[in-house]
């Protein structure tokens, strides 16, 4: 494998991680609510299972100063 | 998971700051955040207890509440779970009422309310060590008989009385096992007469059960005479803050140099392993330069939070809240807003969630809207980089250094911006009556080394995880954007038109630049601000990558600081600092605001007002600095 192939594979994985992260943290919750409104309960639950909390849900004042 | 759900459920209930979370940690072996001030827990937390007979129990840690007559959102969570009103939650089979033994007059009211629900109740009389130190002697037999509940004395932080408590809980569950579970016990909102009767009953019981009353804590009183004094207390607060920010620069230099040296060595070593090519560039210019430029700030973050943890654990922070109440009241903020605002120094997200302790919707919304203006830890690397690059480290005002004072100034700017915006909101869109503060001051105690060490360890882990996920990903993508496409054949590549200007990052930055040029930002800053939305400090790694790709530098953090010092004017640096004080550069904050306000309107409003404020202030700063010839 050439250096270029390995480098581009790493870039591709990073791009995928960003897309998945964006979906889970921003899109999944409103999408699940929308699906629920339209009566697609099973799909809504599947999407909701993908939602990611902010990651700071259980923070105390000096916990997790990660943002 | 299903196994956990089917286990008998017991709940810890008690007043704020009576040690529920410490007891929860001792019972379950978990490490939830505990603090020496009220309102640390604002959500239910769940864990598992294994009894000596091997039986498993589910334990809920509820937010603190003074009564079942809940007034704030966090108290409502506790009340609804206690009363079995939450459809998603199996009602607890037994309550462990937790009471602070040093203030039973206040704590026993809730115990009487729980007892009236006709469910098994066990009382954990916590902080017995402090009660003994103050000379309080209780006849636990009389107390238990009069309250009608069995009692176990505990010292949760020292894990004393834990085995006895688990044993008692197990035996009470076995006794009550044959009885039908009362899913939703009957409860009526008490009127004033009923509340008076309850507390008269508490007084009667305590008179009977008290052998020797507690002495008033002489030390706490003596210290508070200075710490809570309007003048001396305020001066002390300023001094504490000044020392805190000086220490960021003074104490972190040596470990920072070690990290810089290690990264430098690592970058060169990787460079020698691979021949010139895209993978080498990705590893050295993208990942090591990007992630490394953020990693060097870990010691400073740890110094800052080490000091904050000591202040919190000692009980000083609640005094600081008390001192600030007058100022907060003047700008229309509830005194309880201090804890959310203080939490926002770590991260706006727990800060926004901590507003659940504020009962009025207007007060809560005002606090949510201004919380992101306080300086979160993600801003610290940006501040440090710019201060180190542009502010001389000369002594001013005796031992105080200019760099530390500028850092203090930036933190104060965040506070004043938050207070100023609170005034604006309270006088315009969120008008309402002036709130009053009722706040409990904890006793002073020596900070626990274990708590502080664990807090710092946790912070290190989180920082490294973040560096290895969000920042690493952003660095990889930015490397690609800064490296491709390559300049076309025959294109001019010189000082003015480096190869990076032909890349996606160069083109994107150039497209945004006209918008940000009036505030002094060039295309490199413009492009670095974009990944900064995922995490503020990612801007540093983005700049690190952009400059490394442009200059093919191997000296990570040192090169970035030196490079921007050469590349930017002082006016640009000041403008960027002001931008970082005021801008809403955090998607997660907007997401949590949407969740907490249950509306899209408020996060949109937050983003718009903060961006407008940041742009306006940066514009003024940039042009004023240029006018002064900086």
């Amino acid at each position: 494998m050439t250096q270029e192939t390995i480098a581009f594979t790493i870039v591709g994985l990073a791009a995928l991680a960003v897309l998945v992260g964006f979906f889970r943290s921003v899109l999944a919750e409103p999408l699940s609510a929308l699906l629920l409104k339209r009566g697609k309960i099973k799909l809504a639950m599947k999407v909701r299972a993908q939602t990611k909390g902010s990651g700071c849900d259980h923070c105390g004042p000096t916990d997790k100063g990660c943002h | 998971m299903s196994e956990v759900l089917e286990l008998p459920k017991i709940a810890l209930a008690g007043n704020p700051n009576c040690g529920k979370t410490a007891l929860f940690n001792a019972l379950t072996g978990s490490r939830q955040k505990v603090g020496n001030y009220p309102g640390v827990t604002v959500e239910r937390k769940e864990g598992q207890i294994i009894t000596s007979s091997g039986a498993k129990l589910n334990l809920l840690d509820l937010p603190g509440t003074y009564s079942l007559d809940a007034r704030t959102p966090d108290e409502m969570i506790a009340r609804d779970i206690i009363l079995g009103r939450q459809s998603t939650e199996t009602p607890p089979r037994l309550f462990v009422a937790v009471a602070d033994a040093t203030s039973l007059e206040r704590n026993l009211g809730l115990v009487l309310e729980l007892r009236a629900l006709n469910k098994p109740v066990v009382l954990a009389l916590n902080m017995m060590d402090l009660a003994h130190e103050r000379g309080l002697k209780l006849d636990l037999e009389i107390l238990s008989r009069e309250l009608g509940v069995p009692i176990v004395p505990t010292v949760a932080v020292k894990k004393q009385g834990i085995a006895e408590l688990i044993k008692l809980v197990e035996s009470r569950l076995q006794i009550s096992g044959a009885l039908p579970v009362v899913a939703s016990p009957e409860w009526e909102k008490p009127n004033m007469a009923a509340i008076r009767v309850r507390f008269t009953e508490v007084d009667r019981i305590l008179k009977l059960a008290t052998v020797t009353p507690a002495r008033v804590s002489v030390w706490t009183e003596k210290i508070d005479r200075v710490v809570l004094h309007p003048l001396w207390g305020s001066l002390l607060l300023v001094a504490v803050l000044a020392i805190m920010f000086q220490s960021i620069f003074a104490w972190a230099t040596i470990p920072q140099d070690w990290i810089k040296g290690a990264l430098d060595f690592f970058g060169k070593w990787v460079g020698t392993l691979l021949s010139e090519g895209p993978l080498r560039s990705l590893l050295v210019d993208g990942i090591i330069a990007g992630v490394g430029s953020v990693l060097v700030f870990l010691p400073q973050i740890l110094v800052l939070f080490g000091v904050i943890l000591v202040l919190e654990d000692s009980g000083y922070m609640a005094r600081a809240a008390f001192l600030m109440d007058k100022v907060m009241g003047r700008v229309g903020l509830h005194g309880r807003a201090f804890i959310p605002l203080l939490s926002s120094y770590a991260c706006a997200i727990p800060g926004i969630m901590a507003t659940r302790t504020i009962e009025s919707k207007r007060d809560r919304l005002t606090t949510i809207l201004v919380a992101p203006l306080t300086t979160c830890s993600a801003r610290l690397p940006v501040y440090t980089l710019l201060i180190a690059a542009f502010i001389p480290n000369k002594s001013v005002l005796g031992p105080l250094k200019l760099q530390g004072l500028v850092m203090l100034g930036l933190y104060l700017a965040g506070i004043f911006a938050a207070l100023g915006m609170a005034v604006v909101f309270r006088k315009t869109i969120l008008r309402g009556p002036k709130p009053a503060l009722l706040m409990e001051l904890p006793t002073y105690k020596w900070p626990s080394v274990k708590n502080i060490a664990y807090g710092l360890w946790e912070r290190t882990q989180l920082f490294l995880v973040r560096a290895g996920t969000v920042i690493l990903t952003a660095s990889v993508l930015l490397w690609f954007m800064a490296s491709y496409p390559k300049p076309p054949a025959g294109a001019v590549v010189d000082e003015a038109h480096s190869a990076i200007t032909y890349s996606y990052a160069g083109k994107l930055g150039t497209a945004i630049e006209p918008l940000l040029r009036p505030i002094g930002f060039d295309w490199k800053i413009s492009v670095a601000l974009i990944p900064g939305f995922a995490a503020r400090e990612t801007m540093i790694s983005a700049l690190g990558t952009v400059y490394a790709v442009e200059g093919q530098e191997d000296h990570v953090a040192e090169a970035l600081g030196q490079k921007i010092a050469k590349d930017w004017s002082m006016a640009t640096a000041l403008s960027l600092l002001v931008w970082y004080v005021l801008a809403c550069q955090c998607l997660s904050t907007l997401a949590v605001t949407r969740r907490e306000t249950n509306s899209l309107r408020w996060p949109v409003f937050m983003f718009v007002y903060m961006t407008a404020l940041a742009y306006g202030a940066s514009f003024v700063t940039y042009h004023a600095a240029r006018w002064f010839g900086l």
Side-chain angles (χ1 to χ4, degrees), chain B residues 460-515:
Chain B
T460 308
Q461 274 181 313
L462 285 159
F463 185 83
L464 294 179
V465 166
R466 200 167 164 83
T469 52
V470 180
I471 294 169
L472 174 71
T473 314
S475 298
V476 169
L477 291 180
L478 208 76
W479 167 84
F480 175 76
M481 287 178 68
S483 306
Y484 295 92
K486 299 283 181 200
V492 182
V493 178
D494 55 21
E495 272 286 298
H497 298 91
S498 58
I500 199 170
T501 54
Y502 295 94
S503 69
Y504 296 120
K507 283 174 188 157
L508 182 66
T510 317
I512 310 168
E513 194 186 4
L515 208 65

Side-chain angles (χ1 to χ4, degrees), chain A residues 3-4 6-8 10-11 14-15 17-18 22 25 29-30 53-54 56-67, chain B residues 33 37 43 275 277-280 308-309 312 343 346-347 349-350 353 376-378 458-459 462 466 473 477 588 594:
Chain A
Q3 276 206 25
E4 200 152 43
I6 300 171
F8 283 179
I10 295 171
V11 171
V18 167
F22 184 74
S25 57
E29 205 181 317
S54 60
C56 293
D57 288 9
H58 302 287
C59 295
T62 51
D63 271 352
K64 307 183 180 178
C66 47
H67 294 278
Chain B
K33 165 78 184 173
Y37 49 83
E43 286 197 320
S275 57
L279 184 60
R280 182 177 183 271
I308 291 181
L309 282 166
E312 259 182 31
S343 309
C347 172
I349 288 165
M353 292 184 66
C376 67
S377 62
E458 197 178 49
R459 185 154 295 280
L462 285 159
R466 200 167 164 83
T473 314
L477 291 180
S588 304
R594 198 197 72 80

Side-chain angles (χ1 to χ4, degrees), chain B residues 242 245-246 396-397 400-410:
Chain B
F245 292 115
Q246 290 292 321
V396 280
L397 301 173
L400 298 179
K401 302 269 184 168
L402 186 59
Q403 290 188 338
L405 286 178
V406 172
M407 182 67 90
L408 174 61
L410 290 169

